[in-house]
Amino acid sequence: MNNHQKGLALALATFIMWGIFPIYFKSIEHVGALQVLSHRIIWSFFLLFLFLYFFKKLKNVKRLLKIKKVTLNLLLTGLLISSNWGIYIYAVNLNHILEASLGYFINPLFSILLGAIFLKEKLNLAAKISIFIVFIAIFVQIYALGRLPFVSLILPFSFALYGLIRKKLSVPSFEGLFIETMLILPFALIFLTYLGLNGMSEFKPNLNGILLFFSGLVTILPLLTFTASTKFLPLSTIGFMQYISPSLSMMVAVFIYGEELSLYKIISFALIWTSLLIVAINGIKHERK
């Protein structure tokens, strides 16, 4: 394969893995979301340590930890990304995969909005129309549910805020994620120790234990393939391909786990897709110019 084909293969593998995440978390849905999250943090930390050690990048970590402002910001982003992971696991466990996938469709537009507010990035007409349509989709959900669509809002907002802070920090991806997991590791260890002492731990020499152990690999492997794909593909191509993940999650929710795709959800998805299409067409026109 040439470099472009390699990039496409790696990106496709990445977004397929992220798209079928619900199947993995559904297989351990009887394990509490906090317990799964704690294992995800711990095993991600150890895998990242091995990765950085193998590629001789731990010296970068030591350098970053000496900068107090960077460390404090990475503690904040660590709390944000772990909250995002936890809410996603919680949503899957409670059969709200459709709400989660809707949230990840919204995510790029939330990122555009935060960029405009905090980084003073200019919004063109297409972006303004798209964001307005997203808010209509959110109000459709509020009207139908009679409440705020908690999962569909918190997931994209927490991830967009995470991305905003990380962008301002300009810290390498894996070194940053390692420090984030290291800083929140004590919370995960304390919680799992408490569960173990009270006989509530699901980490045993059985299928549950194996699946919990692999939560680190499930987290890190797509990040590795994603990072590799960015070396071979333009960001515009990756931007279009990222919608594979929530699309797959939506199909998993409907066709595997039987979640109801009611009329209001169809309207919300249609509005989001319309807004994304507007941004995509505008991006293509801009690139041609």
Side-chain angles (χ1 to χ4, degrees):
M1 291 191 292
N2 59 39
N3 285 342
H4 184 74
Q5 290 170 332
K6 286 178 185 176
L8 286 174
L10 287 164
L12 188 61
T14 300
F15 295 122
I16 288 174
M17 282 189 278
W18 278 334
I20 61 174
F21 257 18
I23 297 173
Y24 169 79
F25 289 114
K26 267 291 183 183
S27 66
I28 46 175
E29 64 179 338
H30 53 283
V31 181
L34 276 177
Q35 188 170 173
V36 176
L37 174 62
S38 297
H39 279 283
R40 191 174 181 184
I41 292 166
I42 290 168
W43 301 119
S44 295
F45 168 80
F46 283 112
L47 279 175
L48 284 166
F49 176 83
L50 292 173
F51 174 81
L52 294 174
Y53 176 80
F54 181 79
F55 286 100
K56 303 185 187 309
K57 292 187 176 183
L58 286 175
K59 60 180 181 294
N60 295 340
V61 172
K62 292 179 183 178
R63 178 178 55 81
L64 290 168
L65 286 171
K66 290 178 182 177
I67 307 170
K68 186 177 180 181
K69 183 180 178 181
V70 170
T71 304
L72 289 173
N73 275 286
L74 287 174
L75 173 60
L76 176 58
T77 54
L79 292 170
L80 281 170
I81 196 62
S82 58
S83 299
N84 185 275
W85 289 351
I87 292 165
Y88 181 81
I89 296 165
Y90 170 82
V92 172
N93 287 356
L94 292 184
N95 299 314
H96 294 315
I97 301 171
L98 279 174
E99 284 188 45
S101 62
L102 179 62
Y104 284 118
F105 274 119
I106 294 172
N107 181 67
L109 296 167
F110 266 41
S111 295
I112 292 170
L113 181 61
L114 290 183
I117 295 170
F118 295 101
L119 301 178
K120 307 303 179 185
E121 295 176 353
K122 290 185 178 180
L123 292 178
N124 56 36
L125 181 60
K128 290 176 181 177
I129 292 171
S130 297
I131 291 169
F132 177 71
I133 293 172
V134 166
F135 279 107
I136 295 174
I138 291 168
F139 280 114
V140 169
Q141 292 250 339
I142 293 170
Y143 175 78
L145 295 172
R147 59 175 175 81
L148 281 170
F150 175 75
V151 171
S152 298
L153 290 178
I154 298 298
L155 278 178
F157 179 75
S158 60
F159 198 75
L161 187 57
Y162 170 82
L164 174 69
I165 298 171
R166 284 294 299 268
K167 182 176 181 179
K168 293 180 76 174
L169 278 178
S170 297
V171 172
S173 300
F174 288 100
E175 288 91 329
L177 185 59
F178 175 75
I179 295 172
E180 288 167 350
T181 54
M182 182 182 71
L183 293 173
I184 57 178
L185 183 67
F187 301 106
L189 289 172
I190 290 168
F191 180 68
L192 290 182
T193 301
Y194 168 79
L195 292 181
L197 292 173
N198 289 276
M200 295 184 286
S201 175
E202 294 290 342
F203 189 62
K204 299 170 183 176
N206 54 21
L207 182 60
N208 280 347
I210 294 169
L211 290 172
L212 288 171
F213 173 74
F214 277 103
S215 61
L217 184 63
V218 165
T219 302
I220 302 305
L221 184 59
L223 290 174
L224 289 171
T225 55
F226 176 77
T227 303
S229 71
T230 60
K231 296 177 182 178
F232 303 118
L233 291 178
L235 288 177
S236 57
T237 302
I238 292 172
F240 289 124
M241 292 183 72
Q242 71 177 311
Y243 300 113
I244 293 171
S245 297
S247 300
L248 274 177
S249 294
M250 185 182 72
M251 289 189 282
V252 166
V254 175
F255 297 112
I256 296 180
Y257 298 113
E259 289 192 26
E260 183 187 359
L261 192 59
S262 56
L263 179 61
Y264 82 88
K265 287 179 181 175
I266 293 172
I267 293 171
S268 294
F269 275 112
L271 287 168
I272 298 297
W273 288 329
T274 301
S275 65
L276 294 173
L277 185 63
I278 291 169
V279 170
I281 292 171
N282 181 73
I284 291 168
K285 288 181 178 179
H286 180 74
E287 281 192 1
R288 284 179 178 174
K289 287 180 181 179

